[in-house]
Amino acid sequence: MDKFTFYNPTKIIFGIDTIATLSEHLPIGANIMLLYGGGSIKRNGIYEQVKKSLANFTHVEFAGVEPNPRYETLMKAVELGRAENVNFILAVGGGSVLDAAKFIAIAIPYQNGDPWEILVKRLGSTITAAVPIGTVLTLPATGSEMNANSVISRESTREKLAFSSLACFPVFSILDPRVVSSLPQRQIANGIVDAFTHVMEQYLTYPADAPLQDRFAESILQTLIEVGPKVYANPNDLTAAGNFMWCTTMALNGLIGKGVPNDWATHNIGHELTALFGIDHARTLAIIAPNLYRVLFAFKKEKLAQYATRVWNITEGSNEERAQAAISRTVEFFHSLGIQTKLSDYTSDYAGTAEEIVSRFTRRNWLKLGENGNVTIERVKEIVEMSY
Ligand code: NZQ
Ligand code: ZN
């Protein structure tokens, strides 16, 4: 295991009916921006619960954060936040609303020009000023509720870029499994596949003498395989929903990726498919991940074989055969959740996608992705073409 520093200051308030405790966690005297998405919280009653907790707090609302939140929309929230001297952001929603809150939080105090530059120039680690954030998570998937990452899209350039800043960890996040009951099946499936892939990005690399990290990762994968289909079949199963929720948070709160090699090339490529075609984030991962494992097979086969045995109980065959079988089982798992794994299942307009992604990566100097820097642009092209 490599050296590491682990820091995660987010307070988690987990459990059924914990949304009712929201006012206890808000800073007294705060001037709050309540941030939310397209209105699901108004239909499922979460908005009312939140408003009750906000009764004694000064607050303004900013609604309409879209899935894959857009810079253009968020800059309007930044203007509002500055005009109203907002000093706390309460994000109520899924990964998109939470990521939006992080961007708004660093953009409000930013004085060095256009905050989009923070994403383009990868300045996240230099940012220290941010408006503090609290969250009520309504969609278990991204882990945004307990990490410092944010992914923002820019409509004018059809780009989707990420940043990470320690200043963006939420101060607190409320994880109430009741929110799962109103989720459409499509979003539950997305959440399972997104969290699953987050674990794979931090686990499916090469052996690194980190057995505890491996077993953390494997236990999250096994739990997702066990409870994910239960939640998918019945979102009112509160026990399964709670366990699913905790898996998605643990999958990307920084813990399992410490001291071990990380990949993230599936995400790098997947984000382009959302930017180009508007495909749901998790579905882009389901399209790319299996082909990335195939193209990088020679480098990943040891971990793939371990994954086969420990996660899927595949015990027959050579290392290579088990590794191949594990890729097939992963694809079957995605299909069982109604998630298609080819780009052509989502768009007929895919010709030239590989070239476009390669040209974008070349422009950004993203020439060596993955845990070994061996996801070269040639391999990116091969992976994307295999995914058509
Ligand atoms: O906008 P509303 O009306 O709230 O509806 C949302 C949205 O349409 C709906 N929804 C959320 N909670 C609901 C609900 N509907 C019914 N009942 C509820 N309880 O679900 C739709 C999708 O929401 P969204 O927030 O977009 O989904 P998700 O949580 O999957 O977030 C995806 C975004 O997160 C980024 C992705 O790139 C994408 O932009 N990611 C963020 C990461 C991070 N911060 O660490 C890591 C991830 O890899 C990912 O890249
Ligand atoms: Zn993801």
Side-chain angles (χ1 to χ4, degrees), residues 104-124:
I104 297 163
I106 61 167
I108 287 177
Y110 194 66
Q111 295 190 332
N112 297 331
D114 183 352
W116 181 250
E117 296 288 305
I118 298 167
L119 288 85
V120 175
K121 297 186 178 158
R122 298 186 152 190
L123 300 177

Side-chain angles (χ1 to χ4, degrees), residues 27-338:
I28 293 161
N31 195 15
I32 299 171
M33 174 186 287
L34 167 60
L35 187 74
Y36 56 97
S40 71
I41 65 166
K42 292 206 164 156
R43 293 185 291 276
N44 58 19
I46 296 173
Y47 176 80
E48 269 195 317
Q49 290 180 67
V50 167
K51 284 295 269 191
K52 222 189 221 173
S53 290
L54 285 175
N56 296 319
F57 290 87
T58 318
H59 63 280
V60 289
E61 290 187 21
F62 189 93
V65 173
E66 51 281 288
N68 308 309
R70 293 187 197 148
Y71 162 83
E72 287 83 354
T73 306
L74 306 189
M75 287 310 287
K76 292 183 189 148
V78 171
E79 260 174 51
L80 176 70
R82 286 176 178 161
E84 298 287 335
N85 288 317
V86 160
N87 59 17
F88 194 86
I89 301 175
L90 177 63
V92 183
S96 292
V97 174
L98 274 52
D99 284 7
K102 293 172 184 176
F103 178 81
I104 297 163
I106 61 167
I108 287 177
Y110 194 66
Q111 295 190 332
N112 297 331
D114 183 352
W116 181 250
E117 296 288 305
I118 298 167
L119 288 85
V120 175
K121 297 186 178 158
R122 298 186 152 190
L123 300 177
S125 61
T126 67
I127 304 291
T128 48
V131 176
I133 299 166
T135 89
V136 175
L137 180 69
T138 67
L139 199 177
T142 63
S144 189
E145 66 279 8
M146 200 178 176
N147 71 36
N149 312 331
S150 166
V151 192
I152 306 298
S153 299
R154 186 163 185 163
E155 202 175 8
S156 59
T157 54
R158 287 173 87 201
E159 278 177 297
K160 182 171 187 176
L161 296 174
F163 73 92
S164 191
S165 162
L166 296 184
C168 286
F169 275 108
V171 178
F172 70 82
S173 283
I174 296 183
L175 274 55
D176 185 338
R178 279 200 199 281
V179 299
V180 170
S181 64
S182 63
L183 280 173
Q185 256 194 335
R186 161 178 162 184
Q187 297 301 342
I188 293 172
N190 284 351
I192 298 166
V193 171
D194 193 20
F196 199 92
T197 311
H198 292 161
V199 178
M200 295 291 264
E201 298 270 29
Q202 300 164 89
Y203 165 74
L204 202 80
T205 56
Y206 54 83
D209 291 323
L212 181 60
Q213 298 304 70
D214 278 1
R215 289 195 171 92
F216 278 147
E218 287 153 359
S219 63
I220 298 171
L221 296 173
Q222 287 172 309
T223 311
L224 283 169
I225 291 166
E226 185 181 316
V227 302
K230 288 186 190 167
V231 183
Y232 183 70
N234 176 15
N236 294 310
D237 179 341
L238 279 177
T239 308
N243 282 300
F244 165 51
M245 208 168 198
W246 189 226
C247 282
T248 62
T249 301
M250 288 301 293
L252 195 48
N253 66 2
L255 177 66
I256 68 168
K258 291 295 170 194
V260 294
N262 277 227
D263 182 342
W264 295 110
T266 295
H267 270 72
N268 292 138
I269 303 171
H271 284 164
E272 298 306 322
L273 298 183
T274 302
L276 292 168
F277 302 108
I279 302 169
D280 290 355
H281 169 64
R283 289 165 200 254
T284 69
L285 307 176
I287 294 168
I288 296 300
N291 294 320
L292 185 137
Y293 307 151
R294 291 181 182 118
V295 171
L296 278 298
F297 190 79
F299 305 97
K300 289 183 178 288
K301 66 182 174 198
E302 269 188 75
K303 278 313 264 299
L304 273 166
Q306 177 179 327
Y307 163 67
T309 309
R310 293 198 189 172
V311 176
W312 291 110
N313 280 323
I314 301 169
T315 50
E316 304 276 304
S318 65
N319 265 10
E320 298 220 345
E321 284 164 348
R322 284 183 289 117
Q324 289 290 0
I327 299 175
S328 304
R329 289 293 286 274
T330 310
V331 172
E332 282 162 28
F333 180 55
F334 295 165
H335 288 169
S336 74
L337 299 166

